[in-house]
Amino acid sequence: MSYIRFRKHYLHIPYLVLAVLEFGLLFAIFSLLTLFLTFAGIDHAPMSVDLVSALLFAVILSSGTLAMGGYLAMVHESLSSLFFRTLVAYCFVGGIGLTVLYMVMPTADPGSANLFWAVILASLAVILLRLVFLRIVDSEQVVRRVVIFGAGDFAASLLEEYETNMKALGVRIIGCIADTPTRSVADDKLLPTPRDFYEFCRQNKVSEIVVVQQERRRAEGGWLPVPELMECKLRGIAVTSGLEFYERELKKAKLDMVHPSWIVFSEGFKASKSRALAKRLLDLVISLTLLTVMFPFIILTALAVFLETGRPILYSQKRVGMLGKEFRIYKFRSMRQDAEKDGKPRWASTNDDRVTRVGAFIRNTRLDELPQIYNVIKGEMSIVGPRPERPEFVSELKEKIPFYDTRHYVKPGLMGWAQLKYPYGASVEDAKGKLEYDLYYSKNHSLVMDFLIMIQTVEVVLLGKGVR
């Protein structure tokens, strides 16, 4: 097993190990640099302060890496992109965090020159560590070898997702075993049906069988080797449903595989009064703090909108909230006043000509969303949750997308899991893709997951992801 489940959220052990190694490396670099400067007669700070400073240095820079999505993004990037992302995480995000920290705790400040060399050395060391990690996690000695039982459309879709995302997770899908005469998988991905499933898995070092069958398999002469799968499971080989595999590896619920019994009988989708109260208190604390910190930016944004296009400064829309209750959401206006002069709602498009120059900037930086702090304080929204949609679009999407209404059993939020994992939604197909992540959040949401989403949203804001 290469994963653990913490508070209903799957965490991959290799990346947890990498995070621990990076933390230790950051702590060691800062400590050794301090010792060197002390023995060289350059720095005379007490060791007790240096150890605290090293610990805080490691915590802040590790948080910067998490905020910039450094752990999973690095597997898709070139060396130059990895270097750039690390510098942004350490020099910019980490730099801001350390600056704020040293304002609060000036005794922990090692000095600008010392801090500069510590960050540079840490960046280079961490990049080397990650390159070694990528080589190891993709090696045959460590990788998890997986067989798919099924060769229909679901299996073909899973193989496509694997090529794009799952290789990075230390997964090696060696092929598919057909369950029906009708196949959607390429011939080079098909494996001969084994006479002895357990012996086949043992010889090929298979650690998991993922059952990915179409609903129509019985009508088409499909089969499911239940005794063989039972033997494999009882002898230590994991047998997993396709839906569970998607949830664990890609943190989403594959909508084509979702069925009502999964929602009814799964351990998730639990409403908790105590958690709702804790989440509400956290929302109030964060929203009031955010309002205080961002108040100067709110004034400047309002002024910029007014100077470019006049009134109204704010733009409001009806949105669908928890349990289908409609409420009015507020934003700084980023489009022309006549953006919907015909009265018909329109999806935002790439390079939308209705967006003003100021509007483009505040959309990229998410400043246009700041008035929604009022909706959070009022209780209509949460800091974290599925993004609320317009009633006109909800009516259409409920007809075209199964289980779409399930997202309305969780309070909508300023930021969400789908916004981290899926680009801007501007069509029914995009809404379907986002719903897969919203379903995962609805099933597994916790305060720990909310904190992870808040931290990782930094990357979305800084890099302008998912903006149209």
Side-chain angles (χ1 to χ4, degrees):
M1 186 177 71
S2 62
Y3 61 88
I4 59 173
R5 200 173 189 195
F6 179 71
R7 301 294 294 172
K8 299 188 291 186
H9 194 61
Y10 290 103
L11 301 173
H12 290 276
I13 292 176
Y15 290 93
L16 290 176
V17 172
L18 176 63
V20 171
L21 290 175
E22 284 191 11
F23 184 89
L25 185 60
L26 293 170
F27 182 87
I29 286 174
F30 193 95
S31 300
L32 291 173
L33 183 62
T34 301
L35 285 174
F36 171 77
L37 295 174
T38 301
F39 284 116
I42 302 172
D43 186 13
H44 302 285
M47 275 303 298
S48 60
V49 174
D50 294 334
L51 290 175
V52 172
S53 298
L55 181 62
L56 294 173
F57 176 82
V59 168
I60 295 296
L61 292 195
S62 295
S63 299
T65 299
L66 183 61
M68 289 302 298
Y71 294 113
L72 292 183
M74 66 180 177
V75 295
H76 308 298
E77 296 180 329
S78 62
L79 178 60
S80 58
S81 298
L82 174 62
F83 186 76
F84 171 75
R85 186 181 290 271
T86 304
L87 287 182
V88 172
Y90 285 2
C91 299
F92 186 74
V93 179
I96 292 175
L98 289 171
T99 300
V100 174
L101 173 68
Y102 296 150
M103 289 174 60
V104 178
M105 298 180 60
T107 55
D109 189 348
S112 56
N114 297 345
L115 185 62
F116 170 79
W117 287 113
V119 170
I120 295 299
L121 289 173
S123 300
L124 295 175
V126 164
I127 289 173
L128 289 174
L129 175 63
R130 291 179 185 176
L131 292 176
V132 172
F133 168 80
L134 288 177
R135 182 67 62 87
I136 293 174
V137 81
D138 196 43
S139 66
E140 291 299 328
Q141 289 74 23
V142 178
V143 76
R144 281 182 295 131
R145 294 172 63 83
V146 174
V147 166
I148 297 176
F149 184 80
D153 293 339
F154 290 171
S157 176
L158 180 56
L159 283 175
E160 184 179 346
E161 294 257 25
Y162 162 73
E163 292 295 332
T164 306
N165 298 307
M166 289 189 205
K167 284 185 178 180
L169 301 175
V171 175
R172 184 83 77 247
I173 295 180
I174 65 172
C176 302
I177 298 173
D179 63 324
T180 65
T182 304
R183 300 162 186 175
S184 302
V185 173
D187 290 341
D188 62 333
K189 300 294 184 182
L190 289 173
L191 300 171
T193 303
R195 293 183 178 180
D196 187 322
F197 270 72
Y198 174 73
E199 188 62 25
F200 169 83
C201 292
R202 190 183 66 82
Q203 291 179 358
N204 291 276
K205 299 180 180 179
V206 173
S207 58
E208 185 171 14
I209 302 172
V210 180
V211 180
V212 184
Q213 293 187 292
Q214 307 295 122
E215 291 293 331
R216 61 179 184 274
R217 65 175 179 84
R218 293 182 183 276
E220 297 182 351
W223 65 293
L224 181 65
V226 176
E228 291 87 346
L229 294 178
M230 285 178 59
E231 180 186 10
C232 288
K233 184 166 185 177
L234 292 171
R235 299 184 72 169
I237 297 170
V239 179
T240 309
S241 71
L243 189 56
E244 182 184 345
F245 189 74
Y246 266 103
E247 185 179 352
R248 188 185 75 214
E249 301 297 336
L250 293 177
K251 311 296 188 296
K252 70 177 183 179
K254 187 63 175 176
L255 196 58
D256 294 334
M257 300 181 183
V258 171
H259 41 80
S261 61
W262 176 72
I263 296 176
V264 172
F265 295 111
S266 71
E267 61 177 296
F269 298 105
K270 290 182 180 178
S272 168
K273 291 183 178 180
S274 59
R275 184 193 177 279
L277 177 60
K279 187 175 174 67
R280 177 59 182 152
L281 292 175
L282 185 64
D283 284 341
L284 287 173
V285 171
I286 293 176
S287 58
L288 292 172
T289 303
L290 196 59
L291 180 63
T292 303
V293 173
M294 299 301 295
F295 187 75
F297 296 96
I298 292 174
I299 299 299
L300 290 173
T301 303
L303 185 61
V305 172
F306 177 76
L307 291 176
E308 184 183 32
T309 54
R311 296 180 180 177
I313 294 172
L314 293 178
Y315 176 67
S316 67
Q317 282 181 339
K318 282 188 176 180
R319 297 292 176 100
V320 177
M322 191 170 181
L323 301 179
K325 183 179 180 181
E326 293 185 8
F327 68 99
R328 190 162 288 278
I329 200 173
Y330 296 92
K331 293 184 176 183
F332 282 118
R333 184 168 54 81
S334 59
M335 292 186 175
R336 305 189 310 264
Q337 289 94 330
D338 61 347
E340 292 182 351
K341 56 185 177 182
D342 56 0
K344 296 181 179 179
R346 289 167 51 191
W347 297 99
S349 59
T350 305
N351 299 319
D352 200 315
D353 60 3
R354 298 174 297 166
V355 178
T356 65
R357 287 177 298 176
V358 169
F361 175 77
I362 64 177
R363 276 173 169 247
N364 275 307
T365 55
R366 297 302 199 279
L367 290 171
D368 64 322
E369 309 281 359
L370 287 177
Q372 291 166 42
I373 296 174
Y374 168 75
N375 295 109
V376 177
I377 294 173
K378 195 176 177 182
E380 296 165 331
M381 292 176 63
S382 179
I383 293 294
V384 178
R387 288 295 294 163
E389 195 50 84
R390 300 174 69 172
E392 300 87 353
F393 293 148
V394 169
S395 299
E396 176 188 2
L397 296 172
K398 284 169 65 176
E399 293 179 1
K400 296 181 178 180
I401 302 177
F403 305 107
Y404 187 80
D405 210 30
T406 55
R407 72 196 303 274
H408 297 132
Y409 287 86
V410 178
K411 189 178 289 188
L414 276 173
M415 57 192 79
W417 187 239
Q419 279 61 48
L420 289 179
K421 298 295 183 179
Y422 198 89
Y424 188 91
S427 66
V428 173
E429 194 61 31
D430 286 339
K432 181 180 177 181
K434 290 173 66 177
L435 179 60
E436 293 182 338
Y437 292 102
D438 285 334
L439 270 174
Y440 177 87
Y441 178 81
S442 298
K443 179 177 182 288
N444 301 300
H445 63 96
S446 65
L447 294 181
V448 172
M449 188 176 181
D450 286 355
F451 277 118
L452 289 174
I453 291 172
M454 283 186 269
I455 293 172
Q456 292 177 72
T457 299
V458 172
E459 180 193 7
V460 175
V461 174
L462 289 181
L463 302 184
K465 287 188 172 182
V467 176
R468 290 190 181 181

